[in-house]
Amino acid sequence: MGQGRHMPEVIINQIGKRFDEVVALRDLTLEVPDGEFLVILGPTGCGKTTMLRCVAGLERPSEGTIRIGDRCVFSGREGIDLPPRDRDVGMVFQHYALYPHMTVYQNVAFGLKVRGLPRQEIARRTAQALQIVELAGLENRRPRTLSGGQQQRVALARTIAAHPSVLLFDEPLSSLDPDLRTSVREHLKRVHSAVGATSLYVTHDQSEAMLLADRVAVMKDGGLLQIGDAQVIYSFPQTMAVAEFTANPRTNLIKGEVYRAAQGLLLVPEADPYCFIPLSEECAPYAGRIVILHVRPEDIEILPRPVEGMGRLTLLALMPEGALHFVHLRFGDGIGQLLARSRFGELPPLTRGQSVALRFRRGNVYSAETERLLGSFGFNESLARREAAPSIESR
Ligand code: ATP
């Protein structure tokens, strides 16, 4: 499977979908090159599932076109709407719905049997699919005797045994506990490299998106906010909404004035005009402007002593989480809060209520009016060059 087979690209062009007065998708355009693993990330209700269902043929868009390879599978204008069985797509859902009375083997083989494939071909494909998801040896077990992760892998094997050239995943890991998620995620990656099918994977979990994706597409309110390389999207969100949505658990957005003082460039937060935060000289073009500064928790360095004149940044709480420490800081009578994250051992000794100073290692500057990216600071050149590359599209 995979090798030698041409996996088609998927092109979604200006798709819209309305459910009565609810607009689930609006003018959505998305191109997935053949063999790519694209993760679609977005908050609940943003239209992710609807989009997948439109590609699968389970939902009829209100307008637009969908192409899979050189075939148009849907066109509102031309009245084309191929049924799901003619689209050569396989779908893996959150709820895997295995037949409880059938064995693992029978569950995987069932769809092939219904399609009338020869017995030997069914046996060959079923064995191959079970091997890819590492379930060989469990053929005679019933689903209830398997863990949730193993059951999800049976569902995965059932889908790939049909040899679809496009795979659609709708939050397939969300009903699994964290350990199982990690292991099934690894299997998904194996499946993708073994099968090579063009894949669209929907999730609202930012870390999952970053771990799995070749590219990430961020959706909101039925439309596309940004699409590109996962690392580039994380580093250079084109809008504040993307910055917020790619955060786990949250990120820092501080509105304030970039101020040129004797001691250097400072950010004076709107929430506290007496709290000055030093800024990189790369922010010089924004001096005198009100902007929104975005800094991820891991890009804040905590300095143990307050710097003269910088005051009023107070430690609210220190929360260890495994090898990481989350540091909650407060400024401006508690209106402003910052979250920093450091590896254990990298922090100076800190106590609650202590005044500290900080340094932003890197971050982004957004327009306070449009909430769009004006520029970034502190990134190494190779990443900044990738940002300038045409892989970033913002529509
Ligand atoms: P989630 O992560 O919660 O699954 P989602 O991003 O996948 O959310 P969709 O399920 O695609 O979002 O729903 C998009 C919008 O369309 C929502 O407002 C939803 O309520 C609405 N919607 C989806 N299906 C239908 C339907 N069959 N009838 C009416 N409204 C629907």
Side-chain angles (χ1 to χ4, degrees):
M1 243 188 313
Q3 282 104 8
R5 263 183 93 200
H6 177 67
M7 297 302 169
E9 59 187 352
V10 176
I11 301 178
I12 297 167
N13 195 21
Q14 295 185 303
I15 283 289
K17 175 68 187 172
R18 282 178 302 278
F19 294 103
D20 301 321
E21 69 275 18
V22 179
V23 180
L25 297 175
R26 61 185 84 224
D27 197 22
L28 183 75
T29 295
L30 196 61
E31 293 188 9
V32 196
D34 53 347
E36 181 175 83
F37 197 105
L38 178 77
V39 174
I40 295 129
L41 178 66
T44 177
C46 74
K48 307 180 295 292
T49 297
T50 305
M51 193 266 283
L52 275 198
R53 288 174 59 82
C54 287
V55 175
L58 300 170
E59 206 74 72
R60 189 188 163 89
S62 313
E63 64 256 325
T65 55
I66 301 175
R67 301 188 67 84
I68 297 180
D70 49 13
R71 285 193 312 157
C72 177
V73 298
F74 176 82
S75 166
R77 196 172 299 156
E78 292 170 45
I80 299 170
D81 188 13
L82 295 191
R85 65 175 177 278
D86 295 338
R87 293 194 182 197
D88 197 15
V89 300
M91 204 154 168
V92 183
F93 301 94
Q94 174 184 346
H95 302 290
Y96 20 88
L98 301 175
Y99 295 112
H101 59 287
M102 289 187 191
T103 63
V104 166
Y105 183 93
Q106 288 164 337
N107 264 286
V108 177
F110 183 72
L112 308 176
K113 231 171 161 174
V114 170
R115 280 168 50 188
L117 262 63
R119 208 186 170 81
Q120 275 158 314
E121 179 64 6
I122 294 176
R124 193 184 68 77
R125 286 196 190 191
T126 304
Q128 186 188 37
L130 286 171
Q131 200 177 1
I132 291 173
V133 300
E134 290 184 325
L135 285 178
L138 301 187
E139 288 82 353
N140 296 322
R141 298 267 288 269
R142 305 233 178 239
R144 67 166 189 283
T145 71
L146 303 176
S147 72
Q150 287 170 327
Q151 291 186 41
Q152 184 56 295
R153 277 149 58 194
V154 177
L156 201 54
R158 179 179 58 187
T159 305
I160 61 178
H163 289 189
S165 49
V166 175
L167 279 173
L168 306 174
F169 298 94
D170 192 2
E171 309 226 17
L173 307 184
S174 55
S175 61
L176 304 179
D177 68 41
D179 284 349
L180 286 179
R181 268 179 198 221
T182 312
S183 106
V184 179
R185 195 187 290 138
E186 288 309 311
H187 282 91
L188 280 172
K189 287 191 125 170
R190 274 171 53 92
V191 164
H192 183 248
S193 53
V195 179
T198 309
S199 302
L200 277 81
Y201 183 105
V202 153
T203 183
H204 64 267
D205 181 328
Q206 299 79 355
S207 1
E208 197 165 297
M210 298 297 159
L211 284 165
L212 278 170
D214 289 336
R215 286 195 309 156
V216 175
V218 184
M219 277 182 72
K220 193 184 175 200
D221 298 335
L224 190 65
L225 291 182
Q226 188 174 347
I227 179 167
D229 174 284
Q231 192 57 48
V232 171
I233 295 227
Y234 188 77
S235 302
F236 307 106
Q238 294 293 305
T239 58
M240 257 174 62
V242 176
E244 276 180 307
F245 203 67
T246 47
N248 185 19
R250 64 180 178 84
T251 195
N252 301 295
L253 290 155
I254 316 155
K255 189 172 184 184
E257 184 183 346
V258 179
Y259 183 72
R260 168 69 69 197
Q263 64 267 53
L265 210 56
L266 302 172
L267 180 77
V268 183
E270 202 169 61
D272 184 356
Y274 298 102
C275 173
F276 311 129
I277 305 175
L279 281 181
S280 148
E281 273 302 314
E282 289 173 81
C283 296
Y286 315 112
R289 279 180 74 169
I290 305 276
V291 297
I292 294 159
L293 197 84
H294 170 233
V295 183
R296 298 223 182 255
E298 65 271 26
D299 294 329
I300 296 182
E301 185 183 351
I302 311 270
L303 310 169
R305 270 185 304 278
V307 177
E308 189 58 35
M310 300 279 175
R312 294 182 50 127
L313 258 171
T314 320
L315 192 81
L316 253 186
L318 196 60
M319 318 245 289
E321 205 170 282
L324 295 172
H325 268 80
F326 285 94
V327 185
H328 294 259
L329 300 164
R330 184 182 67 186
F331 59 91
D333 301 325
I335 315 162
Q337 289 205 7
L338 280 176
L339 181 68
R341 190 172 69 199
S342 280
R343 295 209 156 274
F344 182 73
E346 284 175 5
L347 276 176
L350 295 168
T351 50
R352 195 168 184 269
Q354 177 182 341
S355 286
V356 295
L358 52 78
R359 188 178 82 84
F360 296 144
R361 290 193 194 95
R362 62 181 77 85
N364 314 105
V365 181
Y366 294 91
S367 154
E369 290 86 39
T370 63
E371 302 190 347
R372 295 194 69 81
L373 184 66
L374 297 171
S376 304
F377 60 91
F379 288 93
N380 69 35
E381 270 199 28
S382 63
L383 194 57
R385 265 202 303 276
R386 270 161 77 189
E387 185 231 0
S391 66
I392 279 204
E393 302 156 33
S394 55
R395 299 175 188 193

